Amino acid sequence: MKLIECHNLETAYATSLNRPILNDINLDIDQGEFVVLLGLNGAGKSTLLRSLVGLVPLVKGEIHIHGLEMTPQTLPKIRREIGMLFQGGGLIRQLSAIENVLCGRLGMRTTAQTWLGFPKRDCILAQELLGQLGLRDKIYQKTSQLSGGQQQRVAIARALIQSPQILLADEPITGLDVVASQQVMQILSELNTQQGLTIITVLHDLGIAAEYAQRAIVLDAGRVVYDGKCDNLQEQFSQVLSL
């Protein structure tokens, strides 16, 4: 069974683009794949990524996660299997690193449980995740005081504390320097190869995409124009966008 199945996805008409942002998207993604979404600005990459976690309403089509069709009723269950890295990290800057990571557990707790604070096992897990990502000495530091690369690692830990099977990353290295970008991509690669986590990420750098991803999906005008290996990605990208 396919892990992710998208059938005829179409979003609302965008007047600025003179078309739907997503326009008849069909694709399947298997468990354990590392997939990169590529395309020019406005192609629909981030919209497609966000649709996989129910953040974008569809006017047509179906999404199935583990064979379960995404509906308002099934969405809470589906979201428990998906971790999301938002562009820029999406952290609460006035909170510490560990507090941000623990926010990843809020969807699994009732309102009453939240008022009681987080159980010790969650706090221990948050510390372990931050330690594994090289942030053991930054656990109680406010995220506003961390570098961009450190903040993105906190965001990764926040996603991982959900124990997801799928990790969606929307431009996870935007604004980072070369070293920090490589560190973040290496972490994602290790999560994929060592833990079998399915990774789907939006990137703009073709070199990094070719280095880390196994499969590239190129979008143009809301449609899939290339879906295949990352070999000769620069040539493939130029060809499909010049058609």
Side-chain angles (χ1 to χ4, degrees):
M1 181 183 293
K2 301 290 184 181
L3 180 61
I4 299 173
E5 299 172 83
C6 299
H7 304 294
N8 309 115
L9 303 188
E10 183 178 315
T11 54
Y13 190 88
T15 305
S16 60
L17 297 173
N18 202 32
R19 61 168 173 83
I21 299 177
L22 299 183
N23 193 3
D24 197 29
I25 295 285
N26 290 278
L27 59 88
D28 297 332
I29 295 174
D30 290 331
Q31 175 71 44
E33 283 196 277
F34 193 135
V35 180
V36 60
L37 303 180
L38 300 167
L40 301 177
N41 289 337
K45 307 179 299 296
S46 292
T47 300
L48 175 57
L49 193 78
R50 288 168 176 258
S51 73
L52 300 178
V53 73
L55 294 176
V56 175
L58 300 174
V59 298
K60 179 183 175 183
E62 297 178 353
I63 297 174
H64 294 255
I65 307 292
H66 262 156
L68 184 64
E69 182 179 352
M70 185 180 293
T71 67
Q73 292 72 37
T74 62
L75 187 55
K77 181 178 180 180
I78 286 174
R79 282 181 171 168
R80 286 195 287 270
E81 295 192 18
I82 301 175
M84 182 87 188
L85 294 180
F86 294 96
Q87 188 174 346
L91 301 176
I92 302 173
R93 294 174 59 80
Q94 63 267 34
L95 296 183
S96 66
I98 190 170
E99 288 171 329
N100 269 283
V101 174
L102 287 168
C103 285
R105 299 292 293 179
L106 290 176
M108 303 176 186
R109 297 176 62 76
T110 65
T111 302
Q113 289 174 328
T114 301
W115 282 110
L116 295 173
F118 293 95
K120 185 176 181 180
R121 64 177 180 276
D122 285 354
C123 297
I124 292 173
L125 178 56
Q127 292 181 40
E128 290 176 348
L129 287 168
L130 288 168
Q132 291 166 11
L133 295 173
L135 296 172
R136 192 173 303 280
D137 60 338
K138 308 293 184 182
I139 288 176
Y140 300 106
Q141 194 163 329
K142 286 187 177 181
T143 52
S144 60
Q145 300 172 339
L146 302 179
S147 68
Q150 290 169 338
Q151 289 182 25
Q152 197 60 285
R153 281 183 274 165
V154 172
I156 292 172
R158 182 185 59 189
L160 293 180
I161 201 169
Q162 300 174 224
S163 299
Q165 296 193 40
I166 303 166
L167 182 61
L168 308 178
D170 191 4
E171 300 187 32
I173 58 174
T174 295
L176 302 184
D177 59 35
V178 174
V179 173
S181 295
Q182 292 286 352
Q183 289 174 339
V184 169
M185 292 306 300
Q186 187 60 40
I187 289 169
L188 296 182
S189 178
E190 290 173 357
L191 290 171
N192 173 253
T193 57
Q194 297 177 14
Q195 298 186 25
L197 198 62
T198 302
I199 308 283
I200 308 169
T201 182
V202 172
L203 293 176
H204 285 288
D205 190 309
L206 297 183
I208 289 181
E211 181 178 354
Y212 290 99
Q214 303 155 354
R215 173 184 171 192
I217 296 174
V218 181
L219 301 181
D220 185 37
R223 296 179 180 271
V224 175
V225 293
Y226 174 79
D227 184 351
K229 295 182 179 180
C230 294
D231 301 338
N232 302 316
L233 199 49
Q234 181 70 57
E235 180 181 349
Q236 296 284 2
F237 191 85
S238 299
Q239 285 180 353
V240 297
L241 294 183
S242 64
L243 296 177

